[in-house]
Amino acid sequence: MSEQDDQERTEEPSEKRLREAREKGDLPRSRDLSGAMVVLAGVAALMSGSEDAFRHAQRIYGLGLSYGRDALFSGELPARVLGGALHEGLLLFAPVALATVLATLAAPVMLGGLSFSSQALEPKFDRLDPVAGLGRVFSMRGLVELGKSLLKLAFIGTALVLLLRHSQQAMLATGRGEVTAGIAMALSTLGRAALVFGAMLALIGGIDALYQRFDYSKRQRMTKQELRDESKETEGNPELKGRIRQMQHQMARKRMMQELPKADVVVVNPTHFAVALRYDDGRMRAPRVIAKGVDVLAQQIRLVAGAHRIPLVEAPPLARALYATTELGREIPAALYVAVAQVLAYVYQLKQATTQGHAPPPTPNPEIDPDLMGPYRET
């Protein structure tokens, strides 16, 4: 089942998945790279302060070799030697400790960044299951880790053995020479061994860091179904969103129909378009669209307008331009001021003619720039 899942995980991880992995403390990490940086930082600190290190090491040796007869029988010798050795040892290894701490913090930053996760501290009792533990041991990842450990043992062990064989005669000769020469030889051998160890571990760590990045990217990949599920979770269920949009449209249409009786005129294309305009020169800078629709909704607007005796003016180009350029509740654009003014003037003249019993004025036929009709331009 897991192999099938891996084969299906062909999609790159989303930002949400990577963020959740970081919150769980799941980041690419290389213990080999971290170990290499710690060793190399310690060796660098030790070698850069080799003179001070030699001086502190010499004092530690001297504390155990220089004491008088009175001090030997006074009972204060052990405390004095141990206290002095501890003090000198702290001074000797303080730079090394500081460098290794900084390297410990720098290694994760280089690979995946620092991250503190409380979830990573939670106890996971399922790891106590011996069957699951054997499954992890004999998994592909477990075999890879075993192979890496054997390679590290072989490379590093071989390198250190060769170094010790090369230094064997010089190390044996320290027993016949002066103490200072022995200290210098010990520190030199220790530094070279640590340098070889760090270099070999850095080589392995560099390879391991590349593998850990690849393995992390592979583990975080997603299936197409996971992407769809995450999209639903993030953006909402499409069916529910569609239902909400439908309800919003119904509520907007209801409000539009409630505002329609306040219109001064409805500009129509004989069957397809209907746009209701309202203009209050005391409160509006320009006429405003309070209702608009096409086809069935346009027919409903015409029926409501007829029931409330709102004039219908047939001006197909103007109706299409108003529908294309002006959102519901917005003022008309300046490019349509003249055309709409002609229609409103016609409406006012029509009302006066009807009241006074005069002949109705001629229906206006305003000229409209075809570009204002957008996708509703007639060919």
Side-chain angles (χ1 to χ4, degrees), residues 254-277:
K254 183 178 180 180
R255 288 194 301 268
M256 184 179 71
M257 289 302 182
Q258 291 174 348
E259 290 291 322
L260 183 55
K262 302 177 183 179
D264 295 312
V265 64
V266 176
V267 182
V268 297
N269 183 338
T271 56
H272 297 295
F273 291 86
V275 180
L277 298 174

Side-chain angles (χ1 to χ4, degrees), residues 3-19:
E3 292 180 358
Q4 183 178 357
D5 291 342
D6 289 339
Q7 292 175 0
E8 295 176 353
R9 295 181 184 277
T10 58
E11 307 302 315
E12 292 298 322
S14 63
E15 291 296 330
K16 181 175 181 293
R17 186 179 183 90
L18 294 176
R19 183 173 64 253

Side-chain angles (χ1 to χ4, degrees), residues 17-291:
R17 186 179 183 90
L18 294 176
R19 183 173 64 253
E20 290 178 349
R22 177 177 290 272
E23 291 173 355
K24 295 177 182 178
D26 186 6
L27 291 171
R29 291 287 185 260
S30 173
R31 287 177 292 181
D32 295 331
L33 180 63
S34 299
M37 291 190 64
V38 168
V39 172
L40 291 175
V43 172
L46 188 62
M47 295 180 68
S48 63
S50 58
E51 294 183 1
D52 292 335
F54 176 81
R55 201 162 45 247
H56 293 305
Q58 188 178 25
R59 290 172 184 171
I60 293 174
Y61 273 99
L63 288 171
L65 298 175
S66 60
Y67 50 87
R69 183 176 182 280
D70 295 337
L72 181 63
F73 291 99
S74 66
E76 298 178 357
L77 180 62
R80 180 176 66 83
V81 172
L82 289 177
L86 179 61
H87 176 72
E88 295 295 336
L90 289 176
L91 295 177
L92 172 62
F93 290 105
V96 178
L98 179 60
T100 54
V101 168
L102 293 178
T104 303
L105 297 175
V109 173
M110 291 176 58
L111 194 56
L114 290 176
S115 176
F116 177 80
S117 173
S118 58
Q119 297 183 27
L121 300 178
E122 296 177 358
K124 297 180 180 179
F125 297 102
D126 58 335
R127 292 186 174 274
L128 300 178
D129 185 359
V131 177
L134 288 175
R136 288 192 296 271
V137 170
F138 292 102
S139 65
M140 179 58 66
R141 195 172 184 184
L143 294 176
V144 169
E145 293 297 327
L146 177 61
K148 284 164 47 182
S149 299
L150 294 176
L151 286 175
K152 284 189 290 184
L153 179 62
F155 281 125
I156 298 176
T158 301
L160 291 178
V161 167
L162 292 176
L163 174 65
L164 291 177
R165 283 188 176 181
H166 181 268
S167 306
Q168 180 179 3
Q169 296 300 326
M171 293 176 62
L172 293 176
T174 57
R176 300 187 297 270
E178 297 181 357
V179 174
T180 54
I183 296 174
M185 181 60 191
L187 289 177
S188 176
T189 304
L190 178 63
R192 282 183 291 165
L195 187 61
V196 170
F197 177 74
M200 298 300 297
L201 198 58
L203 177 61
I204 297 173
I207 299 174
D208 182 61
L210 296 176
Y211 170 76
Q212 292 298 336
R213 281 186 176 275
F214 167 77
D215 182 62
Y216 178 79
S217 176
K218 181 179 178 182
R219 286 188 291 108
Q220 296 303 322
R221 286 178 183 172
M222 305 173 68
T223 64
K224 290 182 172 62
Q225 183 61 41
E226 287 176 335
L227 282 176
R228 285 193 291 267
D229 293 341
E230 183 180 288
S231 178
K232 289 182 180 180
E233 181 182 349
T234 303
E235 301 178 3
N237 192 313
E239 296 179 358
L240 178 60
K241 291 175 66 178
R243 178 60 179 167
I244 291 175
R245 283 195 299 267
Q246 183 181 3
M247 294 178 63
Q248 290 174 340
H249 291 162
Q250 291 176 352
M251 294 176 63
R253 181 179 299 182
K254 183 178 180 180
R255 288 194 301 268
M256 184 179 71
M257 289 302 182
Q258 291 174 348
E259 290 291 322
L260 183 55
K262 302 177 183 179
D264 295 312
V265 64
V266 176
V267 182
V268 297
N269 183 338
T271 56
H272 297 295
F273 291 86
V275 180
L277 298 174
R278 182 170 183 264
Y279 180 56
D280 184 349
D281 57 357
R283 293 186 301 174
M284 300 179 185
R285 296 177 303 175
R288 182 172 298 171
V289 173
I290 62 173

Side-chain angles (χ1 to χ4, degrees), residues 261-343:
K262 302 177 183 179
D264 295 312
V265 64
V266 176
V267 182
V268 297
N269 183 338
T271 56
H272 297 295
F273 291 86
V275 180
L277 298 174
R278 182 170 183 264
Y279 180 56
D280 184 349
D281 57 357
R283 293 186 301 174
M284 300 179 185
R285 296 177 303 175
R288 182 172 298 171
V289 173
I290 62 173
K292 68 176 185 175
V294 293
D295 298 330
V296 176
L297 185 54
Q299 184 64 27
Q300 293 178 359
I301 292 174
R302 291 166 64 96
L303 292 175
V304 174
H308 290 84
R309 298 181 179 180
I310 300 172
L312 300 177
V313 177
E314 290 190 9
L318 178 58
R320 292 195 298 270
L322 287 169
Y323 189 88
T325 60
T326 311
E327 296 294 332
L328 194 65
R330 300 289 185 178
E331 294 179 351
I332 65 172
L336 296 177
Y337 280 179
V338 174
V340 172
Q342 294 177 16
V343 171

